[in-house]
Structures are given as structure tokens and as C-alpha cells.
Amino acid sequence: MARGTARPVVRLRSTAGTGVTYVTRKNRLNDPDRLVLRKYDAVAGAHVLFREER
């Protein structure tokens, strides 16, 4: 069964400038804007904001 377009795969990039990324899915109907999550950056050694890149 094919996956739909309502929940696409997005890449989250660290705002600390370390180049660390996470890959996740988001619901386009609930979050039409760019996704911003606070996650752990192993290079920075702290929790920072990760923004969706397009």
C-alpha cells in the first residue's frame, strides 16, 4: 500500500549550525507551516531548536 501525501517525510536541521539533522514525518493538515522541534544536538551537547528545511 502506497503512502499518501498528507504525511510527508521532512528533514529537521539544527539551528546551532552544527549540521546535525533528524528525519521525521509530519501531518500537513495539522502543521501546514514549517515544523520546529526542540531536540538533542549531539555535536553541541545540548537541546536546541531544529527547523524543517525544504
Side-chain angles (χ1 to χ4, degrees), residues 16-34:
T18 58
V20 177
T21 59
Y22 280 93
V23 177
T24 188
R25 294 183 170 274
K26 77 167 192 177
N27 189 331
R28 249 190 216 155
L29 300 176
N30 294 339
D31 299 311
D33 300 329
R34 289 192 183 184

Side-chain angles (χ1 to χ4, degrees), residues 18 20 40-46:
T18 58
V20 177
Y40 185 74
D41 188 338
V43 176

